[in-house]
Amino acid sequence: MSNPLYQRIYDVVRHIPRGCVATYGQVATVVGATTTAREVGEAMAALRDTQPTPPVPWQRVINAQGKVSTGPHQQHLLEQEGVVFNAKGHTDLQRFGWRGPDPAWAAAHGFALLNEVNTEKPQLDLFGR
DNA sequence: CGTATGACCATGC
DNA sequence: GGCATGGCCATAC
């Protein structure tokens, strides 16, 4: 697509590392203030017909509930990359969730970072032990 | 330009 | 946890 907005969305998705997942909302936040999760979904849907080059790792974009939105195939692709899902199809966003783009890259291309949530999290030892 | 649509999300029950 | 609702905003017609 020559669509500028979609190109920006694809650029961001291409920066999600292997073995990580990002939510539609996260991608929307990075792309820009007016961009919504719905538009990210639209941009991903457009890939069903035409795959741009370089390819976009669309499977790494999932919904805010930690589940895939398109069916078992997407989950399978992620599992091959090392992402773990439980029996109900949920993944742990704290563990596999994307922490945001490289700050230098984001600044160079005019993208935002993922503020809020992360940074310092309380040391609740509720997983692992 | 108005309407319908959507691989979404937060909220409330 | 599931289901319904309203909001969101770019696209397609």
Side-chain angles (χ1 to χ4, degrees):
Chain A
M1 294 220 163
S2 51
N3 193 310
L5 174 60
Y6 283 9
Q7 285 304 326
R8 284 173 65 77
I9 292 174
Y10 297 151
D11 277 342
V12 171
V13 173
R14 279 193 269 254
H15 277 255
I16 303 171
R18 181 188 172 86
C20 286
V21 292
T23 69
Y24 295 91
Q26 279 183 307
V27 176
T29 299
V30 172
V31 170
T34 71
T35 308
T36 65
R38 262 199 133 109
E39 291 146 47
V40 176
E42 282 292 307
M44 295 302 102
L47 295 175
R48 282 183 301 202
D49 304 316
T50 47
Q51 267 272 348
T53 52
V56 176
W58 57 270
Q59 70 274 18
R60 295 177 196 155
V61 184
I62 66 176
N63 60 40
Q65 309 165 38
K67 299 171 69 176
V68 301
S69 295
T70 68
H73 177 55
Q74 182 182 8
Q75 181 176 326
H76 184 67
L77 288 176
L78 289 173
E79 287 171 337
Q80 289 184 40
E81 298 185 351
V83 180
V84 179
F85 290 84
N86 67 16
K88 294 174 184 170
H90 281 266
T91 190
D92 184 358
L93 290 176
Q94 280 291 339
R95 190 171 159 196
F96 298 102
W98 188 39
R99 300 186 178 183
D102 174 60
W105 176 84
H109 292 261
F111 289 118
L113 301 176
L114 296 180
N115 318 353
E116 38 204 323
V117 240
N118 310 323
T119 60
E120 52 204 312
K121 56 181 178 182
Q123 26 189 309
L124 307 173
D125 52 331
L126 34 66
F127 82 87
R129 359 194 320 102

